[in-house]
Every structure is written in structure tokens, then in C-alpha cells.
């Protein structure tokens, strides 16, 4: 600052200095000299002329030298000032960049802090489980500690920040002090299931378990997940994986068998993995399903899960089970475990479809400790058609307090048309049935913050969608025009693209409509794509055989229409993502009227079903294209309304389950 003041004052003084011509100064000097010379001439007139000329030359030379030095100094000062201004500008730029960097670091630290806080209190719950299994505390004390942690989870990070450095004895002393005066809030839910994304994923169950669990925890509920420890688990995203030192013994086939228990955190969700020792081959296989002993495998896991819950002193509000694989938990709970400190717990079964039910010989129920004679009855597990067998999924329906069916159809339609022989059981238990749509992950699928898009956009500002369309056209070598109708299709092996649909696409290409077909990551669609590629050859059609995550996001963003195999798509969630990205989902069906009976407004259906039926449910491809071209303003409003809806896991799917949990507590 001192140097800057000196330079500024110098520049100001230079600005005030008169920029005079040297000849003018010379004239004034000569005039003065003449006066002197006249006075001298009176004294010495003979030598005056020579002295005057010599003096004049010397003074002129000195003056010129001084003036040159002054000009050089002035130029140097101006140059230095220019450098100073550039330096100040660079300094300001550096300060701005530094501040942006500090802000980014602060944001990352806040996110990291939140993640650490969430991981800490979930890890604390798992350490409490370990203390029960190793005999440090009993189940009653553990229950009180869990309540303290769950009701004060946001202050846990301040108290237990060094949890990983503490022994169980040290941690126990701290927990006993912390648990005074606590109270419980929200529901405590334990999901017993066979899939969870990203650990193990075969079908739609994996994304459902993870998406719902994350949504429930965002609303203040505590969710834990119990899984088998498959050999094929992907543990790269599991944090804090540790083995509990004590073995858990569970009953199977007349004996108690040891299990290793592993715990960790996935996406902020506490996960417990059960690894059988004696029956180690049950889950040490390449595939998850499709073996002749699947009943034995998953019955063992279900019984071991309940043994673990009871012996660790957990007292959850809800045991949430899924499909036939863990449906046996229902009869096991009510016949054996409800008396083991779980009197306040209730059971909820989610059915992702009734096409797989598992029929077995009644005697096999004894493997997990159930009484075959007691359960092989028409009002319990006896199958309606093959009466000499027991139906495991039916047992889950009968013994669960609530049943959530994942579907776009009404309760009545499911019972009458999609129950696969369980009509009478569902009709008897109709009052405890609920219908829920699936959801999608809006933290990954959101055009307003999608990292794969060249320009983000939202329902309030759609400018970015046109930019995304042009970018997509350019990338795939299509003619670049944001007003051209573009249709995307995420293809699967089950894609029903019959002759009528091929004709509809061909007719649309004659109207300069562009098409992009791409396979999905979840399924191999090479066969379907190759077939279409042979049938649909046109310069406006593109086929992408290789799955590309970034391109997939751009297809959703750049398309006006997304062709869907069905509006009920729990595996890929294509219709839900299309709506979020401002693309109309249009069903690919052999009969354009197939969807007209999709919703009966006189019957109870989901909000998603009602919205689809009133907007895009009846639209064939040709009509959708015509509406875009003939009435663009009306179409745009329809798209904006769709984008503003929330069909993520956080919305209706979560609400339906919370409503079910709430109803369970009053039973």
C-alpha cells in the first residue's frame, strides 16, 4: 500500500506538470541572457559576442539532457503504473478464485460432515448389536441405548466422534451416560430381503429397497437392512465393513448352527450380512436365485435374521419383508418370535408380483422350526390348487399385518386379474392390502442438476432442453434442428415391437421424426435392437448397441417422446424418468386401446396412475407427434405440468409405506 501511494502521488504531480515546448523555454532563457549581456557589454563590449554564444550552446545541451531524462522517467512511471494495475487485477482475480475455492471446500466439508454424522450414529447402533451378542449388555439395556441414539442422532457426532478408536468397554460407559433422558421419534424399520442396490441386484427389488430406505431416513425414520452374505456381493460402496467377533447361532434342521455377522453402511443405511458357517454353500454361488434348494436357502436366512434380531435385543416397530423369499418370516414371527421381546413389532410384506410363489412339501416347514400340521390348512399356507403343498407367499400374505402391492393397477384389478391363483386369499385379506407405485432416484435423475447434460433445465426454464436436443443430434449425426420431433427408446429383451409399431415408426420417419434406440444396462437388448435395425432402415433412425450412461441421460433430456414397454416399469423406471426430463412416455403395445382400461376412476388407484391416464396413457405414437406439431403451446404446458410432479422414491411410494407403518402401530 505504501508503494502504491508513492506511485499515485508521482503520477498526480506529473499530471500537473506543464507539458511545454523546449523552444519556448529556450526563448525565455535567451531573453534573460540578453539582459545580462547588455549590462556586461557596458563593461566589456569587445568579448561579449563570443561568451554569449558559448553559454547559449552549453545551456541548451544541458536543458535537452534534462528533458530527455524527464521524459524517460515519465514513461517508466507510466509503465510501472500499468504493471501495478495489472498486478492489482491479477490479485483481485486470485482473491475471487480463492474465495470460490473456499466456498466449495466449505460446501464439501458440510456434505462430508453430514455424511459422517449419519454414518456415526448408524455405526453406533451396529456396535450396540455387537455388545448384546458378545454379552456385554442385555437386550433391555440395548433397547434404551438405541432409543437414545435414534432420538439424538444429530448430536451423536459431537459425542462419539472417536467411536472407531474406542473399545467396546469404553464405548459402553459413554453410551450409558448418553442414554439418560432420551425419547424415541420416528419408526424403526428392519428390512429382511434378498437384494439391495448396489450390493446385489437382480431385479426391481434391489432399487426398491435402497430407494425406499433412503427416502424413509430423509423423513426421520430409522431403517436397517439384513441380507445374506452372497459370494457375489459388490462391497465397493460399503463403508466400515466389520465382522462382529461373536458368532450368532440360529436354528435349522433340528440343530443350532453358527453364523458370522458382518455390519457396514451403504448410502447411509445400516446393513447386516449373515454368513452361514455349516451351510456355507447356500450363498457361496454365482447366482442369487434359480437353484433347486432355494426354499432351504432363504428359509435358513429368514430364520437366522429373526434369531439375530431377537438375540441382539432389537425391538423394531416393523419387520418389512419382500416376496416369497422372506415371506416365511410372517409365520415364524407369530408362531415363535413374538414372545421373545418383540411384542410391539408388526410385519409388513411387499409383493412385487404374484407370479412367483414357491410351492413346497409341508414337511419342509419343520426345517426352520414351524409345525407343518398347524400350517397346512386352507386358511393358512395350504395352496388352493395343489392342496397337498404349502404356498410360501400365501403364508406371508396371511401372517403379515399389512401387504403393499407394487403396481399401477387398482386393488380390485390386481385381485381379479394379476393374483395368479391367490384371488380368494387376497379377497379375504382385502382390508390390509395397499397399492404403491415404484419410484426413481431423483438425486441422479434430475435435469436441473444432471452432470451429464451440456445445459441444465427445469420446469420453470426449458431453454436447456433445446440445447440438449441439438447436442444429442450432433453427437449421433442427425440433422440439427431443435424443432424436429425426436423419439427415444430404451430397449429391453421383452420389447414388444410388432408389425403395427414398426409401421407407426416408419410413418413417423416419413414426417422427418427422428428415432434413437438404445439398450439398457439392466438387460441385454442386443437381440431386440438387431431385429429392429434390420426392419427400420432410415437416415433419421439411430441404434446404439453399447450401453452409455452419459448418452442415456442425454437421450432422456433431448427427446420429446420416450417409447416405453409399459407404464409399470419397476426395473428401469423409464416412464418416471421421462416425465422428469420433459419427455412424454408413450406405451409400445400391439393394441392402442390396451391402456384404456388401465385406470378405473371409480376404484382406488395411485396418484401416478391417475396422472398418466389423464395425460399420456391413451396416446399412440402418431397422435403424440401430431399434438407436438399442431399445438406446441398446449403440449409444452402438458410437459411443464408433468415435470413439476414428484414421482421419486421420496413421494408417493414413501408416503404409502409410512401410512402403512402408522396403521400397524394402532393394531
Amino acid at each position: 500500500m505504501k508503494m502504491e501511494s508513492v506511485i499515485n502521488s508521482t503520477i498526480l504531480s506529473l499530471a500537473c506538470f506543464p507539458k511545454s515546448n523546449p523552444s519556448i523555454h529556450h526563448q525565455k532563457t535567451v531573453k534573460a541572457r540578453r539582459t545580462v549581456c547588455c549590462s556586461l557589454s557596458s563593461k566589456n563590449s569587445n568579448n561579449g559576442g563570443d561568451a554569449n554564444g558559448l553559454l547559449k550552446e552549453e545551456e541548451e545541451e544541458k536543458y535537452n539532457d534534462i528533458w530527455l531524462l524527464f521524459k524517460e522517467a515519465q514513461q517508466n512511471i507510466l509503465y510501472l503504473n500499468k504493471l501495478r494495475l495489472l498486478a492489482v487485477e491479477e490479485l483481485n482475480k486470485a482473491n475471487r478464485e480463492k474465495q470460490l475455492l473456499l466456498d466449495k471446500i466449505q460446501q464439501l466439508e458440510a456434505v462430508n460432515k453430514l455424511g459422517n454424522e449419519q454414518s456415526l450414529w448408524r455405526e453406533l447402533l451396529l456396535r450396540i448389536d455387537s455388545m448384546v451378542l458378545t454379552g456385554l449388555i442385555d437386550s433391555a439395556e440395548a433397547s434404551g441405548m438405541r432409543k437414545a441414539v435414534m432420538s439424538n442422532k444429530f448430536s451423536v457426532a459431537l459425542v462419539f466422534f472417536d467411536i472407531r478408536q474406542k473399545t467396546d468397554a469404553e464405548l459402553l460407559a459413554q453410551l450409558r451416560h448418553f442414554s439418560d433422558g432420551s425419547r424415541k421419534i420416528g419408526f424403526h424399520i428392519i428390512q429382511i430381503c434378498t437384494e439391495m442396490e448396489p450390493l446385489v441386484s437382480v431385479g426391481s427389488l434391489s432399487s426398491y429397497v435402497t430407494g425406499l430406505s433412503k427416502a424413509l431416513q430423509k423423513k426421520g425414520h430409522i431403517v436397517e437392512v439384513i441380507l445374506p452374505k452372497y459370494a457375489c456381493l459388490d462391497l465397493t460402496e460399503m463403508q466400515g465393513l466389520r465382522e462382529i467377533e461373536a458368532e450368532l447361532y440360529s436354528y435349522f434342521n433340528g440343530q443350532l448352527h453358527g453364523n458370522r455377522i458382518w455390519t457396514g453402511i451403504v448410502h447411509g443405511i445400516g446393513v447386516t450380512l449373515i454368513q452361514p458357517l455349516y451351510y456355507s454353500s447356500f450363498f457361496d454361488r454365482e447366482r442369487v436365485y434359480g437353484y433347486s434348494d432355494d426354499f432351504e436357502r432363504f428359509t435358513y436366512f429368514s430364520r437366522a435374521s429373526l434369531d439375530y434380531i431377537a438375540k441382539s435385543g432389537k425391538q423394531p416397530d416393523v419387520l418389512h419383508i419382500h416376496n416369497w423369499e422372506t415371506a416365511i418370516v410372517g409365520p415364524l414371527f407369530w408362531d415363535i418370535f413374538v414372545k421373545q421381546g418383540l411384542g410391539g413389532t408388526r410385519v409388513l410384506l411387499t409383493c412385487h408380483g404374484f407370479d412367483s410363489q414357491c410351492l413346497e412339501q409341508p414337511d419342509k416347514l419343520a426345517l426352520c422350526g414351524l409345525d407343518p400340521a398347524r400350517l397346512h390348512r386352507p386358511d393358512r399356507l395350504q395352496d388352493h390348487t395343489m392342496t397337498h403343498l404349502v404356498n410360501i407367499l400365501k403364508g406371508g400374505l396371511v401372517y403379515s399385518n399389512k401387504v403393499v402391492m407394487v403396481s399401477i393397477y387398482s386393488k380390485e384389478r390386481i385381485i381379479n386379474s394379476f393374483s395368479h391363483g391367490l384371488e380368494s386369499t387376497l379377497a379375504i385379506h382385502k382390508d390390509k392390502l395397499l397399492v404403491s407405485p415404484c419410484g426413481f432416484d431423483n438425486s441422479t435423475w434430475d435435469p436441473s442438476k444432471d452432470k451429464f447434460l451440456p445445459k441444465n433445465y427445469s420446469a420453470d426454464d426449458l431453454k436447456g432442453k433445446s440445447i440438449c436436443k441439438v447436442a444429442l443430434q450432433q453427437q449421433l449425426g442427425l440433422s440439427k434442428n431443435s424443432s424436429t420431433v425426436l423419439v427415444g427408446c430404451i430397449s429391453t429383451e421383452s420389447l414388444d415391437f410388432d408389425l403395427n409399431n414398426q409401421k407407426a415408426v416408419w410413418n413417423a420417419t416419413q414426417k422427418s421424426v427422428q428415432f434413437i434406440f438404445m439398450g439398457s444396462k439392466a438387460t441385454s437388448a442386443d437381440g431386440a435392437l438387431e431385429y429392429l435395425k434390420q426392419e427400420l432402415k432410415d437416415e433419421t433412425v439411430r441404434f446404439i448397441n453399447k450401453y452409455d450412461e452419459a448418452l442415456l441421460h442425454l437421450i432422456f433430456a433431448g427427446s420429446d417422446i420416450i417409447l416405453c414397454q409399459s407404464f409399470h416399469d419397476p426395473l428401469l423406471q423409464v416412464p418416471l424418468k421421462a416425465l422428469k426430463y420433459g419427455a412424454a412416455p408413450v406405451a409400445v403395445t400391439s393394441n392402442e386401446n390396451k391402456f384404456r382400461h388401465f385406470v378405473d376412476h371409480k376404484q382406488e388407484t395411485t396418484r401416478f396412475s391417475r396422472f398418466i391416464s389423464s395425460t399420456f396413457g391413451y396416446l399412440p405414437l402418431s397422435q403424440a407427434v401430431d399434438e407436438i406439431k399442431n399445438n406446441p403451446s398446449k403440449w409444452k404446458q402438458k410437459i411443464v405440468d408433468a415435470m413439476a410432479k414428484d414421482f421419486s422414491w421420496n413421494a408417493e411410494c414413501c408416503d404409502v409405506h409410512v401410512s402403512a407403518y402408522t396403521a400397524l402401530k394402532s393394531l
Side-chain angles (χ1 to χ4, degrees), residues 66-106:
I66 292 171
W67 178 248
L68 288 172
L69 289 171
F70 174 77
K71 285 184 69 176
E72 185 177 347
Q74 186 182 38
Q75 289 174 356
N76 287 337
I77 291 170
L78 291 173
Y79 177 70
L80 288 172
N81 186 56
K82 183 178 180 180
L83 290 178
R84 181 192 67 83
L85 293 174
L86 288 172
V88 171
E89 184 179 347
E90 287 295 322
L91 181 62
N92 290 335
K93 182 181 178 182
N95 285 333
R96 288 194 297 270
E97 291 176 351
K98 177 184 176 182
Q99 189 58 48
L100 289 172
L101 184 60
L102 289 173
D103 292 343
K104 184 67 176 176
I105 291 172
Q106 193 173 17

Side-chain angles (χ1 to χ4, degrees), residues 94 104 113 144 149 177 190 200 221 223 307 311 388 410 418 507 562 576 588 609 630 638 655 661 667:
K104 184 67 176 176
K113 181 181 177 183
V149 172
H177 178 73
I190 297 180
V200 54
H221 307 289
V223 183
D307 279 319
K311 290 174 183 177
H388 64 290
S410 67
F418 301 101
N507 290 337
I562 294 288
L576 304 177
V588 177
S609 300
N630 300 331
K638 188 183 289 190
D655 293 342
Y661 300 151
L667 296 177

Side-chain angles (χ1 to χ4, degrees), residues 345-377:
T345 301
R346 297 294 178 264
V347 181
L348 181 142
L349 168 68
T350 293
C351 286
H352 299 258
F354 295 104
D355 52 332
S356 182
Q357 300 176 12
C358 187
L359 305 184
E360 281 292 346
Q361 295 293 332
D363 291 346
K364 282 192 175 184
L365 294 175
L367 288 171
C368 60
L370 291 172
D371 181 357
R374 172 178 162 79
L375 297 176
H376 188 213
R377 291 168 37 177

Side-chain angles (χ1 to χ4, degrees), residues 343-600:
T345 301
R346 297 294 178 264
V347 181
L348 181 142
L349 168 68
T350 293
C351 286
H352 299 258
F354 295 104
D355 52 332
S356 182
Q357 300 176 12
C358 187
L359 305 184
E360 281 292 346
Q361 295 293 332
D363 291 346
K364 282 192 175 184
L365 294 175
L367 288 171
C368 60
L370 291 172
D371 181 357
R374 172 178 162 79
L375 297 176
H376 188 213
R377 291 168 37 177
D379 60 336
R380 296 183 183 175
L381 271 69
Q382 185 180 37
D383 188 66
H384 295 299
T385 305
M386 304 182 73
T387 56
H388 64 290
L389 300 177
V390 289
N391 186 317
I392 305 306
L393 182 59
K394 178 186 174 183
L397 293 170
V398 171
Y399 278 87
S400 294
N401 300 102
K402 287 288 182 182
V403 177
V404 174
M405 303 178 292
V406 183
S407 179
I408 56 174
Y409 299 107
S410 67
K411 188 190 301 186
E412 289 75 10
R413 181 88 187 277
I414 295 170
I415 294 173
N416 295 329
S417 304
F418 301 101
S419 56
H420 295 273
L422 291 170
E423 293 93 335
S424 59
T425 299
L426 292 172
I428 292 170
H429 297 275
K430 183 178 178 181
D431 290 342
K432 66 182 183 185
L433 303 181
L434 297 168
V435 180
S436 171
C438 63
F440 72 99
D441 184 2
N442 62 354
S443 66
T444 301
W445 293 93
D446 184 348
S448 68
K449 53 187 178 184
D450 192 325
K451 64 181 179 180
F452 293 114
L453 303 186
K455 178 71 174 177
N456 294 119
Y457 62 95
S458 66
D460 298 324
D461 183 4
L462 285 172
K463 293 177 184 176
K465 186 166 178 65
S466 298
I467 295 173
C468 291
K469 177 188 282 189
V470 172
L472 178 61
Q473 292 169 330
Q474 182 175 1
Q475 184 170 337
L476 297 181
L478 294 165
S479 61
K480 293 183 289 183
N481 190 337
S482 62
S483 62
T484 300
V485 178
L486 199 157
V487 180
C489 180
I490 313 305
S491 178
T492 66
E493 288 179 331
S494 60
L495 185 66
D496 180 18
F497 224 85
D498 62 7
L499 189 61
N500 288 332
N501 285 301
Q502 293 173 37
K503 184 177 179 182
V505 172
W506 178 255
N507 290 337
T509 59
Q510 304 312 298
K511 299 178 183 179
S512 299
V513 176
Q514 296 172 341
F515 286 84
I516 299 172
F517 293 89
M518 182 180 183
S520 71
K521 184 178 182 181
T523 56
S524 173
D526 291 347
L529 283 180
E530 283 302 317
Y531 170 75
L532 289 173
K533 197 172 182 178
Q534 296 300 320
E535 298 297 323
L536 301 171
K537 295 181 179 180
D538 192 271
E539 62 180 11
T540 62
V541 182
R542 294 291 183 271
F543 292 90
I544 300 97
N545 289 310
K546 186 178 180 181
Y547 176 81
D548 185 322
E549 180 75 12
L551 183 56
L552 180 62
H553 283 248
L554 191 57
I555 290 173
F556 275 103
S559 298
D560 299 292
I561 297 169
I562 294 288
L563 297 179
C564 312
Q565 175 62 30
S566 168
F567 289 110
H568 180 54
D569 183 7
L571 182 61
L572 302 178
Q573 303 117 27
V574 169
L576 304 177
K577 294 170 184 175
L579 291 172
K580 187 65 179 178
Y581 279 70
V586 171
V588 177
T589 58
S590 58
N591 179 5
E592 292 182 350
N593 295 321
K594 184 177 180 180
F595 189 67
R596 296 189 182 277
H597 301 292
F598 162 64
V599 172
D600 183 347

